[in-house]
């Protein structure tokens, strides 16, 4: 088994916990000394930075949100109060997508970049990437950090990057450069496979040895479908401009959290407390710096608004000791009906039932209509251009999968309070094809 930094990745739990506590103490002190926001925050909440000694102490601190960051930067504030470095030490400036409001600004030093790159380096190596691999990166090379971080990680490993920035690149890229891996979202990988087949190159006969799916949550059923299309393993990654960056190893038993560089906890806002392991909650992260390090931005107890479950803190079969989490889902893609939640990924699971894929392309969108007394979920699915489609089977498979572990929704469906309607379209017949930007696949129109 290969590791990027074996001593750190396989550190015994007691030693790792002690290292985490040491870095928490240093990071909190660094925030108090260098960030205008945290200086005010500590005073406002009567917090003595020196009292924060270990990771359990973080649970006593208030939660910070994306809204908090936006309120303490222009135009809401006169300064970027989260910035924790002098301007002349800032290497790059980045922004989040801004889908939920004003983009959040982040300032990275070269040290920050190297820490970000190490997180992705560990992930790539755990997925059996190494010297000689040629990897197509379909992520955008813009103000976000993902694609650039992967490129820097590749340099550290000895990989070659083909920076297409998107999966609509010409098929000649596959023929001429013989890439061994691709990083892209599930749907980008599906569309690329179909385009290759149309141009006479079967993905099974290509040079690709493994794929990395990132950028959005996905159902295990859609991952299995991509693996079938390409004939290679698909690994999961989760990252953000805020610095999470977790990766699934070859064992596929959860995403490893680089605990020496980011502390991750799980919080339930409805309970207003942290949940026990095994329960679902929102990811709360804290930046961790080694003593003596500098950083352009720090986050303490930051609510990512993504949900997950801690799978285990036990040693993984791959030998790594850092905790593992389930594939995170976006809280913004969760809706409530009849007192019960479901996520876009639940819709996707119903669409990608194996028998369905003889008739569907995998592209879908869903809309909620109604009021407190009666709700309708309208699921639209794009069909393959083939005759003899068994659409009744598709509907049966969807309903069975979607309602299987949702007793409240199942009961509401039986009582006529929650209706599920289906719409099947020809290729490119879905609404999102007429809208620019990333498709929003679950829309609440109530």
């Amino acid at each position: 088994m290969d590791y990027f930094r074996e001593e750190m990745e396989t550190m015994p739990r007691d030693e790792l916990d002690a290292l985490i506590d040491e870095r928490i103490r240093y990071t909190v002190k660094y925030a108090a000394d260098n960030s205008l926001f945290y200086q005010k925050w500590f005073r406002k909440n009567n917090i003595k930075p020196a009292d924060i000694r270990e990771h359990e102490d973080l649970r006593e601190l208030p939660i910070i949100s994306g809204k908090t960051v936006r309120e303490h930067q222009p135009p809401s504030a006169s300064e970027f109060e989260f910035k924790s470095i002098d301007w002349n030490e800032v290497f790059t400036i980045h922004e989040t997508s801004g889908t939920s409001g004003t983009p959040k600004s982040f300032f990275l030093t070269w040290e920050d970049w190297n820490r970000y790159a190490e997180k992705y380096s560990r992930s790539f190596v755990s997925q059996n990437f190494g010297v000689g691999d040629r990897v197509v990166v379909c992520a955008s090379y813009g103000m976000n950090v993902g694609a650039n971080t992967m490129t820097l990680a590749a340099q550290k490993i000895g990989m070659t990057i083909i920076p297409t920035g998107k999966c609509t690149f010409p098929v000649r890229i596959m023929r001429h450069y013989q890439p061994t891996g691709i990083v892209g979202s599930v749907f980008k990988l599906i569309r690329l496979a179909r385009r290759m087949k149309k141009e006479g190159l079967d993905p099974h006969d290509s040079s690709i040895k493994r794929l990395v799916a990132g950028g959005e949550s996905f159902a295990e059923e859609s991952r299995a479908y991509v693996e079938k299309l390409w004939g290679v393993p698909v690994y999961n990654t989760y990252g953000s401009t805020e610095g999470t960056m977790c990766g699934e190893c070859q064992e596929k038993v959860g995403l490893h959290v680089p605990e020496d560089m980011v502390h991750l906890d799980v919080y339930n806002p409805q309970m207003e407390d942290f949940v026990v392991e095994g329960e679902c909650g929102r990811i709360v992260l804290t930046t961790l710096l080694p003593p003596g390090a500098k950083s352009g931005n720090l986050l303490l107890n930051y609510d990512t608004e993504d949900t997950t479950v801690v799978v285990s803190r036990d040693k993984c079969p791959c030998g790594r000791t850092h905790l593992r989490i389930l594939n995170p889902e976006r809280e913004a893609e969760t809706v409530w009906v009849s007192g019960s939640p479901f996520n876009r990924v639940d819709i996707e699971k119903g669409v990608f039932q194996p028998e369905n894929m003889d008739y569907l392309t995998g592209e879908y969108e869903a809309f909620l209509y109604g009021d407190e007394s009666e709700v309708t979920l309208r699921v639209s699915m794009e069909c393959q251009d083939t005759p003899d489609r068994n659409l009744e089977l598709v509907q049966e498979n969807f309903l069975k999968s979607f309602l299987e572990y949702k007793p409240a929704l199942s009961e509401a469906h039986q009582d006529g309070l929650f209706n599920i309607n289906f719409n099947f379209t020809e290729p490119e017949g879905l609404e999102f094809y007429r809208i620019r930007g990333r498709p929003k696949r679950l829309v609440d129109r109530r």
Side-chain angles (χ1 to χ4, degrees):
M1 180 63 68
D2 290 328
Y3 305 94
F4 180 75
R5 196 173 300 281
E6 182 173 359
E7 181 180 1
M8 186 63 73
E9 294 176 71
T10 61
M11 183 176 288
R13 171 50 58 182
D14 58 342
E15 295 180 25
L16 181 57
D17 283 341
L19 181 142
I20 291 168
D21 290 342
E22 177 189 49
R23 295 191 172 187
I24 285 172
R25 290 191 289 272
Y26 175 77
T27 302
V28 169
K29 184 178 186 303
Y30 184 91
D33 291 343
N34 295 279
S35 166
L36 178 60
F37 169 79
Y38 285 111
Q39 290 166 2
K40 295 178 179 179
W41 187 66
F42 287 133
R43 287 197 300 269
K44 177 182 176 182
N45 293 285
N46 296 316
I47 299 167
K48 294 181 179 180
D51 290 343
I52 311 303
R53 306 291 300 166
E54 53 192 25
H55 53 274
E56 287 86 355
D57 295 332
L58 290 174
R59 293 188 165 203
E60 304 301 320
L61 303 182
I63 302 294
I64 291 170
S65 66
K67 181 173 180 286
T68 312
V69 176
R70 287 190 291 270
E71 288 175 345
H72 292 84
Q73 66 175 45
S76 298
S78 60
E79 298 181 57
F80 292 97
E81 295 183 10
F82 274 85
K83 185 169 67 69
S84 55
I85 206 80
D86 290 338
W87 276 108
N88 60 3
E89 295 180 278
V90 173
F91 179 59
T92 57
I93 300 172
H94 298 270
E95 292 182 346
T96 56
S97 62
T99 54
S100 56
T102 303
K104 300 185 290 290
S105 300
F106 290 88
F107 305 87
L108 301 187
T109 65
W110 181 239
E111 284 185 48
D112 288 321
W113 269 110
N114 278 291
R115 285 189 289 269
Y116 275 38
E118 173 152 343
K119 296 172 192 177
Y120 264 124
S121 297
R122 294 182 192 180
S123 179
F124 275 136
V125 172
S126 77
Q127 295 158 0
N128 204 31
F129 286 96
V131 176
D133 272 303
R134 294 184 291 279
V135 180
V136 178
V137 173
C138 294
S140 170
Y141 282 82
M143 289 287 276
N144 56 31
V145 300
N148 289 304
T149 306
M150 287 181 247
T151 302
L152 184 55
Q155 187 275 331
K156 295 180 179 296
I157 297 169
M159 294 159 46
T160 297
I161 288 292
I162 305 172
T164 63
K166 51 188 176 181
C167 273
T168 54
F169 57 82
V171 171
R172 64 174 173 77
I173 297 291
M174 302 295 295
R175 290 194 173 101
H176 294 175
Y177 303 126
Q178 297 287 296
T180 57
I182 305 174
V183 180
S185 69
V186 161
F187 287 94
K188 288 179 180 178
L189 296 170
I190 290 173
R191 292 170 198 149
L192 175 60
R194 293 207 170 108
R195 193 158 52 84
M196 288 168 59
K197 285 185 177 181
K198 286 182 180 179
E199 298 191 31
L201 178 59
D202 190 326
H204 283 244
D205 298 330
S206 73
S207 54
I208 297 299
K209 297 179 181 178
R210 61 196 71 83
L211 300 167
V212 179
E216 60 186 15
S217 305
F218 55 80
E220 283 302 312
E221 288 77 6
S222 56
R223 184 222 295 258
Y225 181 66
V226 175
E227 291 184 331
K228 182 178 178 181
L229 274 181
W230 286 86
V232 299
V234 177
Y235 299 108
N236 189 5
T237 60
Y238 165 72
S240 66
T241 304
E242 290 87 347
T244 15
M245 298 173 193
C246 309
E248 188 177 50
C249 69
Q250 294 179 67
E251 299 292 335
K252 296 184 182 178
V253 286
L255 286 79
H256 288 275
V257 178
E259 291 188 78
D260 56 309
M261 291 184 281
V262 59
H263 178 71
L264 184 147
D265 221 326
V266 183
Y267 179 80
N268 188 331
Q270 294 169 321
M271 293 170 50
E272 297 185 344
D273 201 357
F274 291 87
V275 303
V276 299
E277 287 190 15
E279 290 187 5
C280 183
R282 300 227 306 226
I283 296 174
V284 172
L285 68 87
T286 294
T287 310
L288 294 184
L289 300 176
K294 293 183 177 182
S295 178
N297 266 87
L298 290 175
L299 293 171
L300 305 179
N301 270 18
Y302 177 78
D303 180 3
T304 63
E305 299 182 14
D306 293 338
T307 60
T308 192
V309 175
V310 173
V311 174
S312 177
R313 295 180 188 271
D314 296 335
K315 180 185 287 188
C316 178
C318 74
R320 292 171 176 83
T321 53
H322 295 221
L323 72 87
R324 287 167 280 136
I325 60 173
L326 289 184
N327 186 3
E329 297 179 357
R330 293 185 183 276
E331 182 81 0
E333 295 179 328
T334 296
V335 296
W336 288 75
V337 174
S338 298
S340 180
F342 65 88
N343 189 272
R344 174 192 59 79
V345 173
D346 296 309
I347 305 286
E348 186 169 303
K349 178 180 178 182
V351 172
F352 277 89
Q353 290 299 298
E355 289 179 312
N356 292 357
M357 302 315 295
D358 291 334
Y359 315 107
L360 304 178
T361 68
E363 299 287 359
Y364 70 92
E365 60 189 6
F367 303 92
L368 275 173
Y369 304 91
D371 50 35
E372 293 182 359
S373 60
E374 185 176 342
V375 175
T376 297
L377 174 66
R378 180 174 178 265
V379 182
S380 296
M381 293 175 260
E382 184 181 83
C383 295
Q384 294 191 40
D385 190 13
T386 56
D388 304 321
R389 302 168 185 157
N390 191 344
L391 301 183
E392 288 188 5
L393 175 66
V394 172
Q395 295 179 55
E396 291 172 6
N397 288 337
F398 181 96
L399 289 171
K400 181 179 179 182
S401 166
F402 182 72
L403 297 173
E404 186 173 10
Y405 299 110
K406 304 177 183 66
L409 286 179
S410 182
E411 183 178 346
H413 182 252
Q414 292 173 8
D415 293 342
L417 303 176
F418 177 44
N419 307 302
I420 302 177
N421 297 338
F422 296 96
N423 175 50
F424 297 96
T425 78
E426 298 302 312
E428 299 194 10
L430 298 172
E431 285 189 24
F432 70 70
Y433 284 110
R434 300 187 291 275
I435 301 172
R436 294 185 64 182
R438 177 184 290 184
K440 192 170 183 180
R441 297 186 182 273
L442 177 57
V443 181
D444 193 343
R445 290 180 170 171
R446 289 177 290 180

